[in-house]
Amino acid sequence: MLSNGDALIVVDPCPFYARGGGQEPDTGSLTVSASACEAPRTLAVKHAVALPNGQAAALCVDAQHTDLQVSQPVVAAIDMQRRNGCAVHHTATHLLHAALRQVMGDTVTQAGSLVRPDSLRFDFTSTALSDDQLREVERLVNRFALASTPVNVTHTTLEAAKEQGAMALFTEKYQADNVRMVRVSNVSVELCSGTHLRTTRGVFPFQITSEGSVGAGTRRIDAVAGVAASKWLQQQFAYAQNAAHILNAKQLSKLCDAVHRLNDTNKTLRSDAAKWLRVAAVNAQTVATHATTLGSVPTVIHILASESSAPHTSDARLVAERACHLRDTQPQNAHVVIQDTHIALAVNPISFSDVQAGALLRELLKKLPGKGGGQGVLAQGRLKSAVTDIHMLPL
């Protein structure tokens, strides 16, 4: 009995694969034979767990089924769709490892893996791969797959496996007199306890979905193969079709051109918006000003008309742009601009070379409840309550 309410059942012989070598375990069911007073019943197997001796597996089921008796016959059934998916992706990891060593050199070694029914993750030691190198790795794996090379599994001694060039994970422990060797002729030889295809054909198509760093000198590839890769590619095609429809590109080959046109238009609109923002900042209506000092810095506080008086123009960008305009046109003072809850503080770096706008704003926010921060010449923040008049400031 487990602490989570599940129970472990051992069946012999056991066809279920337990978690190991980075591969997720089998799931399935156990059917308990009928008796004179009870109909057959089926127990869902959540997963298989390897026993300490490494020679058998225990099956995790709901604890309510622990009334089974020792030597009671059962029929074990594996979820073959899940098993086949894992086999596809486990064989794919071997082909991927071989392709990486061809492209990046024999210094590439496996640093870990995760094999699922619908994807794989492969960690390895290497420098970063370029886009061209990634495409070459993909091409090689697909070439290996299409060759329909038999995948042969044999048992031998550890020493004999090493003599045949078998690769192994240094983190795994192997029995010296009995190891399981998986060979793809002229491609790969590895020590492995996982499930595999009979030939490499089922790995096609193979597609890398991401590649990146997971630590110093260690890279990670996520990929899909076989049926899972076909589904992934169909999904990507659907995404591209939807994007083409949105951008009015009549052919997928024209999609990049449409994206470039949209990007150019966006840049133009952003540039125009920035120009109009500067115009709005210069002409922003000030309803009140107040001269004071922050520390030893002469400061002018400007209250802009609130949103109700100036709709569509009140936002943090306008307030910051107004502060920058005042900083440049009236450099002898630091300037605080407030509109409703938006606040910005700007200082001229020539007039106040040793003053940090962020430090001044934090000093001001000790009196005005709010949060903010920024760089040396401009700081921005948000007040807890709107300020629409100088008299609302605790100065």
Side-chain angles (χ1 to χ4, degrees):
M1 188 76 68
L2 302 178
S3 60
N4 64 357
D6 291 336
L8 296 180
I9 296 176
V10 177
V11 298
D12 184 30
C14 181
F16 286 79
Y17 177 82
R19 184 185 299 275
Q23 180 175 325
E24 290 194 348
D26 282 336
T27 61
S29 64
L30 292 178
T31 300
V32 182
S33 300
S35 63
C37 58
E38 186 181 37
R41 56 193 172 109
T42 300
L43 290 61
V45 176
K46 298 180 180 181
H47 58 267
V49 181
L51 295 178
N53 62 15
Q55 301 302 310
L59 308 181
C60 182
V61 301
D62 193 286
Q64 66 177 329
H65 300 302
T66 54
D67 58 340
L68 294 177
Q69 303 298 315
V70 174
S71 299
Q72 186 171 358
V74 296
V75 176
I78 298 169
D79 182 341
M80 289 307 299
Q81 183 174 354
R82 177 184 174 85
R83 164 71 75 87
N84 290 336
C86 285
V88 166
H89 288 95
H90 209 146
T91 300
T93 62
H94 287 215
L95 302 185
L96 172 61
H97 192 183
L100 284 167
R101 289 171 67 86
Q102 282 198 29
V103 174
M104 302 301 291
D106 291 343
T107 57
V108 170
T109 57
Q110 182 176 345
S113 66
L114 178 60
V115 175
R116 300 188 181 98
D118 57 357
S119 65
L120 69 87
R121 187 181 74 200
F122 190 76
D123 295 346
F124 57 101
T125 58
S126 175
T127 56
L129 281 75
S130 68
D131 289 343
D132 287 343
Q133 288 170 327
L134 279 175
R135 299 291 79 79
E136 177 63 11
V137 168
E138 277 184 345
R139 188 191 68 79
L140 282 173
V141 174
N142 281 303
R143 193 187 78 185
F144 297 154
L146 288 173
S148 297
T149 305
V151 180
N152 297 311
V153 176
T154 57
H155 289 265
T156 184
T157 64
L158 182 59
E159 188 61 32
K162 289 181 178 179
E163 289 176 357
Q164 295 180 59
M167 291 185 291
L169 276 175
F170 69 89
T171 55
E172 294 284 339
K173 294 182 180 180
Y174 300 96
Q175 294 181 344
D177 60 342
N178 185 21
V179 293
R180 186 170 182 268
M181 187 168 64
V182 178
R183 178 190 295 275
V184 180
S185 182
N186 299 320
V187 176
S188 168
V189 185
E190 295 192 30
L191 299 185
C192 178
S193 61
T195 61
H196 285 274
L197 298 171
R198 293 184 178 180
T199 76
T200 59
R201 183 64 179 80
V203 170
F204 183 84
F206 174 84
Q207 179 70 44
I208 294 173
T209 58
S210 70
E211 188 276 338
S213 172
V214 291
T218 304
R219 311 294 295 180
R220 171 172 293 172
I221 282 178
D222 291 288
V224 287
V227 173
S230 294
K231 291 180 179 178
W232 186 89
L233 289 167
Q234 287 173 342
Q235 186 180 56
Q236 305 309 304
F237 182 71
Y239 291 152
Q241 283 185 312
N242 288 338
H245 176 72
I246 292 170
L247 296 176
N248 200 29
K250 295 183 179 180
Q251 298 177 354
L252 287 182
S253 59
K254 303 296 183 182
L255 180 57
C256 286
D257 292 338
V259 171
H260 286 310
R261 287 194 299 272
L262 179 64
N263 190 44
D264 291 341
T265 300
N266 187 45
K267 288 180 180 178
T268 300
L269 291 174
R270 284 179 176 272
S271 177
D272 290 345
K275 292 176 183 177
W276 284 111
L277 182 63
R278 288 192 290 271
V279 171
V282 170
N283 295 281
Q285 181 184 358
T286 302
V287 296
T289 59
H290 177 74
T292 185
T293 58
L294 292 176
S296 59
V297 179
T299 304
V300 180
I301 299 176
H302 310 258
I303 307 296
L304 301 185
S306 66
E307 287 186 3
S308 59
S309 302
H312 312 304
T313 59
S314 178
D315 63 22
R317 294 172 300 171
L318 174 67
V319 173
E321 191 67 36
R322 178 63 177 176
C324 291
H325 169 71
L326 293 168
R327 174 198 64 196
D328 297 337
T329 57
Q330 301 175 34
Q332 70 277 15
N333 297 307
H335 295 275
V336 177
V337 178
I338 300 174
Q339 185 176 55
D340 294 327
T341 59
H342 296 295
I343 184 170
L345 188 152
V347 294
N348 189 288
I350 298 176
S351 302
F352 303 99
S353 59
D354 58 345
V355 175
Q356 293 288 316
L360 286 183
L361 181 60
R362 286 191 294 272
E363 183 69 25
L364 180 59
L365 291 177
K366 291 178 181 179
K367 302 177 181 179
L368 285 173
K371 294 182 179 180
Q375 303 299 319
V377 297
L378 176 66
Q380 295 175 260
R382 196 75 181 263
L383 303 175
K384 288 187 176 180
S385 300
V387 174
T388 57
D389 192 87
I390 290 294
H391 300 297
M392 300 176 67
L393 298 175
L395 300 173

